[in-house]
């Protein structure tokens, strides 16, 4: 367990979890030991978590001066940790009450910050206090839960000024998306992990210079993620959105089904959102209510090309092709819903993927872009070009199914063991459509107005005669076959790029 000496000589402990670039993690409570973070739902697989025990908590020493428990003075401990780690600029994550601590650190030391992640952050210090109505509204969302009546009675006791320890314990179910055994065990550890005296001194009686902090945050030059829980009342998603609006470079995410500890309520969703934010090569956009992650290459002013991956893939599948196309194009590769670092909502269809592509093009103002889609992504691109012909400038379909009924139909697929980079529910959902596709998809091919190239893999399991037929149905469509399997652009990238160039792309 590493220890360092902070500005006043107090020895502070921190815990390292995982490998990779360090992410300084500040625990809430206020003044709760950092071990409640665990591995942040698996975020330690992509970043090294530096879990700081604030002074007087966990394995850190108790300071001689109790006034140093004040949130504004704890800022100096964060700065001392950054210096101790030898980081020129730090990525900092703050949860709950420590969201305010992280924000105050950002306000005072913006030049020492690389990114700021605020997870269900408290907002009162920044002039946006959670209200009793916020908590009542959040509580009402849980009215169907078996524990609701008892927890709501405890909340009413607290809001009436009768905040007993029993009442505080009674509202714990509201702070978790699922009040299951894991949540109950996590909540039960809280009293022993908190320094009650330190927590009572965390917010100074005279308040803070909120106006100065807000003014500094409005000029913060670094990216900020504000992540709220759908069921959280402190902050509610609305209050968290107001906080995000303070920052000039903020991304705002509401994690569905989560409350105050989103990495416990939905670890996959939490890790995908935070990992996408922390990766400098990934951006995200809210498109049709779904957060879509994407990568870019090339000059932003160059003609746009959008790459749509196949089932089970991600934007990374296109890296080699994107790097080649970036010489003359601005290239965008998205992760469809249920794939990669985008949201995994659990419901999938070709039409949903079409809508993702549509919303992405509109959100990024890419009307008229060239769209290149592989397999499932190609089917989505076809459906989009049929429904919104003017949105697609040119269309390349790489070994996509012709959406003719499969004969014989595919039997039910078995999920492979281990962790997947996509939501398995995609497979049975799309297999069902491949077995019995909507006939309108093939009947409307003649409505596509964009120039279209259909690229087949001569060794693919996809029927190449069906691909030739598909190309003939599209006015101005053409077909070319490449010596490759189903993943044409990976099996034979030179030939695939040559086919693109002959079509006028690349």
């Amino acid at each position: 367990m590493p220890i360092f000496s902070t500005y006043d000589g107090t020895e502070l402990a921190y815990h390292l979890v995982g490998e990779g670039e360090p992410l300084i993690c500040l625990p809430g409570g206020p003044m709760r030991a950092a071990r409640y973070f665990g591995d942040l739902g698996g975020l330690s697989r992509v970043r090294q978590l530096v879990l700081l025990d604030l002074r007087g908590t966990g394995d850190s020493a108790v300071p001689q001066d109790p006034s140093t428990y004040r949130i504004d003075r704890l800022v100096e401990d964060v700065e001392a940790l950054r210096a101790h780690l030898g980081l020129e600029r730090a990525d900092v994550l703050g949860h709950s009450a420590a969201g305010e601590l992280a924000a105050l650190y950002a306000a005072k030391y913006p030049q020492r910050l690389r990114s700021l992640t605020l997870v269900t952050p408290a907002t009162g210090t920044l002039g946006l206090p959670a209200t009793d109505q916020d908590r009542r509204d959040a509580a009402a969302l849980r009215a169907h839960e078996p524990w609701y009546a008892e927890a709501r009675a405890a909340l009413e006791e607290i809001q009436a000024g009768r905040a007993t320890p029993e009442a505080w314990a009674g509202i714990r179910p509201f702070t978790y998306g699922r009040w299951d055994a894991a949540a109950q065990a996590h909540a039960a550890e809280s009293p022993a992990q908190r320094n009650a005296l330190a927590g009572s001194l965390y917010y100074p009686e005279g308040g803070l210079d909120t106006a100065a902090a807000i003014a500094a945050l409005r000029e913060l030059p670094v990216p900020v993620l504000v992540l709220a829980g759908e069921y959280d009342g402190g902050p509610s998603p609305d209050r968290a959105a107001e906080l995000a609006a303070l920052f000039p470079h903020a991304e705002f995410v509401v994690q569905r089904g989560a409350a105050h500890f989103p990495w416990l309520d939905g670890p996959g969703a939490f890790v995908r959102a935070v990992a996408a934010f922390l990766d400098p090569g990934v951006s995200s956009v809210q498109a049709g209510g779904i957060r879509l992650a994407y990568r870019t290459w090339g000059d932003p002013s160059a003609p746009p090309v959008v790459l749509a991956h196949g089932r089970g893939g991600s934007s990374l599948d296109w890296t080699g092709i994107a790097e080649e196309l970036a010489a003359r194009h601005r290239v965008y590769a998205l992760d469809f819903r249920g794939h990669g670092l985008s949201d995994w909502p659990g419901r999938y269809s070709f039409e949903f993927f079409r809508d993702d592509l549509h919303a992405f093009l509109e959100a990024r103002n890419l009307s008229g872009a060239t769209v290149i889609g592989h397999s499932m992504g190609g089917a989505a691109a076809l459906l989009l070009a049929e429904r919104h012909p003017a949105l697609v400038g040119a269309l390349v379909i790489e070994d996509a199914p012709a959406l003719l009924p499969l004969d014989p139909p595919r039997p039910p697929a078995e999920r492979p063991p281990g962790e997947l980079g996509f939501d398995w529910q995609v497979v049975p959902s799309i297999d069902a459509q491949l077995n019995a596709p909507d006939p309108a998809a093939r009947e409307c091919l003649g409505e596509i107005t964009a120039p279209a190239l259909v690229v087949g893999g001569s060794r693919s399991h996809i029927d190449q005669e069906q691909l030739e037929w598909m190309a003939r149905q599209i006015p101005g469509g053409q077909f070319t076959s490449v010596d490759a399997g189903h993943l044409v652009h990976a099996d034979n990238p030179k030939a695939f790029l040559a086919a693109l160039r002959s079509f006028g792309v690349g």
Side-chain angles (χ1 to χ4, degrees):
M1 175 190 61
I3 293 175
F4 69 101
S5 183
T6 187
Y7 69 94
D8 64 349
T10 304
E11 292 191 336
L12 303 183
Y14 60 96
H15 309 268
L16 300 176
V17 182
E19 298 180 352
E21 286 287 318
L23 173 65
I24 294 175
C25 301
L26 308 178
M31 305 305 286
R32 183 174 177 179
R35 63 180 175 271
Y36 81 92
F37 277 138
D39 67 353
L40 280 176
L43 188 61
S44 60
R45 291 194 295 271
V46 296
R47 298 298 292 263
Q48 182 180 64
L49 308 182
V50 183
L51 309 178
L52 175 64
D53 281 339
L54 299 174
R55 55 178 58 216
T57 71
D59 294 312
S60 289
V62 173
Q64 292 185 346
D65 181 1
S67 72
T68 59
Y69 287 133
R70 285 174 40 144
I71 184 174
D72 52 337
R73 299 189 68 178
L74 292 173
V75 164
E76 301 308 324
D77 291 343
V78 181
E79 172 59 8
L81 174 58
R82 179 208 60 80
H84 166 76
L85 295 172
L87 300 174
E88 183 67 24
R89 298 170 67 210
D91 296 310
V92 176
L93 178 150
H95 170 244
S96 190
E100 294 169 307
L101 171 58
L104 292 180
Y105 176 78
K108 186 168 185 180
Y109 292 103
Q111 76 281 9
R112 296 302 189 186
L113 194 67
R114 186 164 66 176
S115 72
L116 180 64
T117 302
L118 304 178
V119 179
T120 60
T123 55
T125 295
L126 301 175
L128 299 166
T131 67
D132 286 349
Q133 190 61 50
D134 288 342
R135 293 186 170 87
R136 285 193 292 268
D137 290 345
L141 298 175
R142 318 298 294 280
H144 61 285
E145 302 279 7
W147 45 261
Y148 172 76
E150 185 176 347
R152 181 60 185 257
L155 178 62
E156 290 173 354
E157 286 292 295
I158 292 171
Q159 294 188 340
R162 297 184 291 272
T164 64
E166 293 75 19
W168 285 115
I171 66 168
R172 285 178 186 165
F174 287 130
T175 61
Y176 295 87
R178 296 183 309 276
W179 188 235
D180 55 14
Q184 293 172 38
H186 189 265
E189 294 174 346
S190 178
Q193 293 172 350
R194 285 195 63 204
N195 181 331
L197 171 62
S200 70
L201 299 173
Y202 189 77
Y203 297 108
E205 290 185 5
L208 299 168
D209 188 352
T210 297
I214 292 174
L217 296 177
R218 290 192 186 279
E219 302 296 326
L220 191 66
V222 304
V224 178
L225 172 65
V226 178
L227 190 149
E230 178 185 12
Y231 297 143
D232 200 5
S236 66
D238 286 347
R239 202 69 59 223
E242 292 177 348
L243 176 63
L246 294 179
F247 301 98
H249 307 288
E251 178 183 340
F252 175 59
V253 172
V254 177
Q255 184 172 320
R256 303 301 175 192
H260 201 59
F261 301 93
W263 65 91
L264 293 174
D265 299 329
F270 176 80
V271 170
R272 286 189 292 275
V274 178
F277 169 72
L278 292 174
D279 188 334
V282 177
S283 301
S284 293
V285 64
Q286 290 289 334
I290 300 293
R291 183 186 57 81
L292 298 177
Y294 65 97
R295 291 175 166 84
T296 56
W297 296 261
D299 184 345
S301 65
V305 170
V306 177
L307 306 176
H309 64 78
R311 187 172 74 177
S314 76
S315 54
L316 289 172
D317 295 350
W318 292 105
T319 300
I321 297 298
E323 289 172 347
E324 292 290 335
L325 293 177
R328 296 185 179 181
H329 298 274
R330 175 63 164 179
V331 183
Y332 301 80
L334 78 154
D335 290 347
F336 279 113
R337 70 176 68 199
H339 294 78
L341 295 177
S342 290
D343 283 347
W344 295 14
R347 297 179 61 228
Y348 307 102
S349 68
F350 284 124
E351 291 76 18
F352 279 138
F353 297 128
R354 173 201 65 198
D355 294 344
D356 285 348
L357 191 54
H358 182 192
F360 179 78
L361 291 173
E362 290 199 332
R364 294 269 61 93
N365 194 26
L366 296 174
S367 178
T370 295
V371 178
I372 302 175
H374 170 246
S375 193
M376 179 193 79
L382 277 171
L383 295 179
L384 179 63
E386 290 174 351
R387 175 169 284 197
H388 301 283
L391 195 59
V392 178
L395 184 64
V396 178
I397 303 302
E398 177 193 347
D399 217 56
L403 298 180
L404 294 162
L406 293 182
D407 184 20
R410 286 187 181 176
E414 292 188 11
R415 187 191 188 283
E419 188 174 349
L420 301 175
F422 66 99
D423 187 349
W424 175 252
Q425 184 56 42
V426 171
V427 173
S429 298
I430 294 304
D431 278 354
Q433 286 194 286
L434 290 172
N435 286 337
D438 182 350
R442 55 185 180 274
E443 292 169 357
C444 293
L445 289 170
E447 298 180 16
I448 296 175
T449 60
L453 171 66
V454 178
V455 180
S458 61
R459 294 180 276 108
S460 171
H461 67 278
I462 299 291
D463 188 323
Q464 300 297 291
E465 291 184 358
Q466 290 185 1
L467 292 184
E468 283 193 79
W469 171 85
M470 178 197 297
R472 291 196 299 270
Q473 308 313 302
I474 302 172
Q478 54 184 287
F479 172 76
T480 188
S481 180
V482 170
D483 180 19
H486 179 53
L487 199 61
V488 180
H489 70 265
D491 288 351
N492 196 340
K494 289 184 178 180
F496 182 74
L497 288 166
L500 295 183
R501 284 192 294 271
S502 68
F503 183 61
V505 180

